[in-house]
Amino acid sequence: MKIACLQFAPQLGKVQANMEKANKILEETNDLRPTADGRPLWLVLPEMAFSEPSCAGPSTQWAVNIARHYSIFVTVGYPEVAKPADSADPTSKSVNYNSTVTVSPQGVVIGSYRKRFLYYTDETWAHEGDGKTASGFFAGPLGPLGDVSMGICMDINPHKFLASWSAYEFANHVIDSGTPLVVLSMAWLTRLTTQELAELPLRPDEETFAYWMQRFQPLIEGKKGPIAVVCANRCGIEGNACYAGTSSVFVVDKGNVNIYDVMGKLEEKCMVVDLMRAPKYALQRSTCPGVAWPSDPNATVPEYGADFVLSRYPPIAFYAFIKVPASIPSAVHPVAHIAKPSRVREIEALVCDS
């Protein structure tokens, strides 16, 4: 399977302009097609991708058009109006959800998901999704894509930031459902300032990436795999909100984490990953005071004490990235069409002193 993440910076209320920007990025993307041997390509967009203010129509129609044009599967996030308000009743309110829709290459809607765990800004307009599983999250077959778990952004956090950190609701849902593929549409914020975002814009937000790893700790510590995880985030600045970018595709396999690719925090492009090819990085637990990235082994992150959410939970674990040499052949894993590196070579600059 091939996975594509479209990371860009939509502007609130400018639906048509946002769609035109997305179209242009896709037009400039190489290899945005299924493989010659028939393996599908799945394009995933961020949560509320086009920032449309009301109904589902424009986003779904855009997904249908793109899916047909490129012969690919498309998932896009949008605000769903499940039941409009009764115009005759001034006390009536619409029933809304923060949702994603998935469309086949034939332009047919094959799946939908309503966000289960709401961020506090979602609670002002949306209802919690009730899901189709005991956990309330989505897990099930999506045609040629196979069995998939789907979530939206806040779903990987503790419920309302009140549940126990160790409950790992979404990660345990993935384990319990036994799905080999996890897809997340996100609009994940960063704690970086606008000035910090502009520095090294093509480099990922290491703190955000480390946090995602922490929330999938049950998978990393487990004995199952391979499980591919797709984090399709947005980037850019909207008012006082700064988004983390850092869209990534990684595979967890019996304690090992291989990163197939990851985007920069302000990078606007469509990243295409072939899970039959070797990953770019392997992940290693680090004793450094931050995430060691190839271009900066001394990267650090701020203290958490002043942050309300993070102060309630354990400190984030940090990791070092190990480059996977391109010359090393890959052994194709029969499950989920994922290629695994036969070995990795550590780069000395990434090894932290204990």
Side-chain angles (χ1 to χ4, degrees):
M1 181 185 294
K2 291 167 65 177
I3 300 290
C5 295
L6 176 53
Q7 177 175 294
F8 72 118
Q11 294 183 324
L12 182 63
K14 298 184 178 181
V15 179
Q16 189 59 40
N18 294 334
M19 291 181 176
E20 290 173 359
K21 174 186 274 192
N23 290 341
K24 183 178 180 181
I25 294 173
L26 294 180
E27 289 169 3
E28 297 171 350
T29 302
N30 295 324
D31 205 25
L32 193 65
R33 294 284 182 181
T35 63
D37 59 3
R39 288 183 292 119
L41 186 149
W42 190 354
L43 171 65
V44 186
L45 274 75
E47 173 185 11
M48 306 278 284
F50 299 120
S51 294
E52 65 190 57
S54 56
C55 65
S59 289
T60 302
Q61 189 56 55
W62 181 90
V64 167
N65 294 339
I66 293 298
R68 287 174 174 168
H69 179 74
Y70 291 100
S71 298
I72 60 178
F73 293 85
V74 178
T75 292
V76 61
Y78 72 100
E80 176 191 358
V81 181
K83 181 181 179 181
D86 185 353
S87 58
D89 181 0
T91 64
S92 173
K93 295 182 179 180
S94 61
V95 178
N96 309 314
Y97 295 96
N98 186 334
S99 302
T100 60
V101 62
T102 300
V103 177
S104 74
Q106 294 74 37
V108 177
V109 174
I110 61 170
S112 60
Y113 171 69
R114 293 168 172 171
K115 189 175 184 179
R116 181 74 176 89
F117 290 178
L118 301 183
Y119 195 52
Y120 74 94
T121 51
D122 296 321
E123 293 176 345
T124 63
W125 65 273
H127 288 67
E128 280 194 350
D130 52 9
K132 298 179 180 179
T133 63
S135 67
F137 302 114
F138 177 92
L142 284 180
L145 299 174
D147 291 333
V148 181
S149 287
M150 298 187 74
I152 300 176
C153 204
M154 177 70 186
D155 281 336
I156 70 172
N157 277 317
H159 187 222
K160 294 182 179 291
F161 291 120
L162 297 175
S164 167
W165 174 270
S166 59
Y168 291 111
E169 299 98 326
F170 187 82
N172 283 321
H173 155 76
V174 173
I175 293 173
D176 294 341
S177 64
T179 52
L181 181 59
V182 180
V183 171
L184 295 159
S185 290
M186 311 176 95
W188 196 280
L189 297 167
T190 178
R191 297 197 306 149
L192 298 174
T193 65
T194 55
Q195 181 178 353
E196 290 169 331
L197 272 177
E199 297 173 357
L200 301 173
L202 300 184
R203 204 174 97 179
D205 179 358
E206 293 95 340
E207 180 184 357
T208 291
F209 191 87
Y211 186 90
W212 292 345
M213 291 297 102
Q214 195 80 340
R215 294 308 299 159
F216 282 104
Q217 201 62 31
L219 275 66
I220 296 173
E221 294 177 351
K223 298 181 179 180
K224 295 184 178 181
I227 301 172
V229 181
V230 180
C231 296
N233 197 25
R234 63 159 291 178
C235 62
I237 300 165
E238 194 173 84
N240 294 324
C242 297
Y243 294 90
T246 316
S247 296
S248 50
V249 178
F250 58 91
V251 172
V252 181
D253 190 7
K254 302 177 182 67
N256 299 313
V257 180
N258 293 315
I259 304 166
Y260 280 71
D261 210 347
V262 58
M263 295 178 67
K265 47 186 172 285
L266 273 183
E267 194 170 9
E268 292 189 277
K269 76 170 188 179
C270 182
M271 176 182 74
V272 181
V273 167
D274 190 337
L275 293 177
M276 285 286 284
R277 297 180 180 176
K280 288 189 175 181
Y281 307 99
L283 205 62
Q284 175 179 287
R285 195 69 170 255
S286 173
T287 56
C288 291
V291 178
W293 193 250
S295 60
D296 183 5
N298 298 314
T300 60
V301 296
E303 294 295 328
Y304 302 117
D307 188 283
F308 169 75
V309 173
L310 291 175
S311 66
R312 296 191 65 251
Y313 298 112
I316 293 176
F318 301 116
Y319 300 87
F321 292 79
I322 303 171
K323 190 76 172 181
V324 177
S327 60
I328 291 180
S330 299
V332 177
H333 196 284
V335 180
H337 308 294
I338 294 170
K340 298 167 61 180
S342 56
R343 61 185 178 89
V344 294
R345 174 175 57 84
E346 293 187 4
I347 294 180
E348 291 183 2
L350 297 182
V351 179
C352 302
D353 295 329
S354 56

